[in-house]
Amino acid sequence: MDNRAKLLEQALHLFAQRGYDAIGVQEIVEQAGITKPTLYHYFGSKRGLLEALINERLQPLIDRLAQATSHANDVPASLAAIFQLYFDFAQAEPLLYRMQLAMWFSLPDNEAFQIVAVSSAQQQALLESFFVRASSFHGNMRGRQRVYAATLLGTINTYIGLCLSGAVQATPQIIHQAVQQFSYGIYS
């Protein structure tokens, strides 16, 4: 693992464990066994380190979400695919997923929130565009894309929280249940 990767990995563990604001640059570099100038060389600052961590590690989720939301003619199948990709990502990156969720629920003027908000806005936009396209097949969805996207993310994150906490397993039955639960609301 190169120095840049070590810094990203240590930052992820420390930020996930104790929160962005509780961790200083000195602690990150000590845990990584690297000097401060090396961190500044790669990232410029602690903020730059978090930005790189979020942007690079969440990009696969964003890319797969863009694919999954491109097909709106079969809403139930698309919703199942969206749920599945989130579940798969959260299981592959549990620390990252928990960390970004915690940061998303911090105060809006918090630096970590501002960084995570960019990724969250990308996800929201992709889901909104999905519901706009789906409304051509389901007229009762028109004009509701913003609320549907936010509600879908909330449902997904609730189920992922339950899975990451060990309360439920990410089984096909759970995904089906989550899709059904969400679908009852959007088709009404």
Side-chain angles (χ1 to χ4, degrees):
M1 190 179 301
D2 67 8
N3 287 342
R4 186 178 189 283
K6 286 179 189 175
L7 287 165
L8 288 167
E9 197 61 30
Q10 285 306 315
L12 172 60
H13 285 279
L14 291 168
F15 295 157
Q17 184 179 48
R18 296 204 329 262
Y20 176 77
D21 294 329
I23 303 300
V25 168
Q26 186 63 41
E27 187 172 1
I28 296 167
V29 298
E30 284 175 4
Q31 291 290 318
I34 297 167
T35 64
K36 278 186 184 182
T38 303
L39 183 144
Y40 295 132
H41 166 74
Y42 286 117
F43 305 107
S45 64
K46 183 173 99 169
R47 180 186 178 107
L49 175 59
L50 180 60
E51 286 172 340
L53 179 62
I54 293 295
N55 294 338
E56 293 171 21
R57 298 283 288 266
L58 284 178
Q59 194 58 49
L61 174 65
I62 303 293
D63 293 343
R64 289 192 304 241
L65 184 59
Q67 291 175 330
T69 57
S70 65
H71 308 290
N73 57 336
D74 186 349
V75 173
S78 295
L79 289 172
I82 291 166
F83 269 92
Q84 187 67 58
L85 80 89
Y86 271 96
F87 275 70
D88 291 347
F89 186 83
Q91 286 181 321
E93 293 274 8
L95 277 180
L96 177 70
Y97 206 89
R98 284 180 183 271
M99 181 192 75
Q100 62 93 26
L101 271 182
M103 290 175 175
W104 173 246
F105 286 104
S106 62
L107 295 173
D109 62 343
N110 182 281
E111 191 170 59
F113 171 86
Q114 294 166 5
I115 293 166
V116 169
V118 174
S119 168
S120 296
Q122 290 174 313
Q123 294 171 59
Q124 176 78 21
L126 287 167
L127 291 170
E128 284 182 29
S129 68
F130 166 75
F131 286 113
V132 167
R133 285 190 300 283
S135 71
S136 66
F137 302 100
H138 303 280
N140 65 326
M141 291 184 178
R142 279 192 188 85
R144 299 179 182 179
Q145 65 271 9
R146 184 171 185 83
V147 172
Y148 286 172
T151 304
L152 179 58
L153 278 174
T155 303
I156 288 168
N157 287 330
T158 298
Y159 274 90
I160 287 174
L162 291 169
C163 287
L164 292 176
S165 298
V168 297
Q169 297 293 316
T171 63
Q173 293 80 15
I174 289 294
I175 291 173
H176 178 75
Q177 175 185 322
V179 169
Q180 290 297 103
Q181 179 184 6
F182 177 76
S183 296
Y184 288 138
I186 66 172
Y187 291 126
S188 62

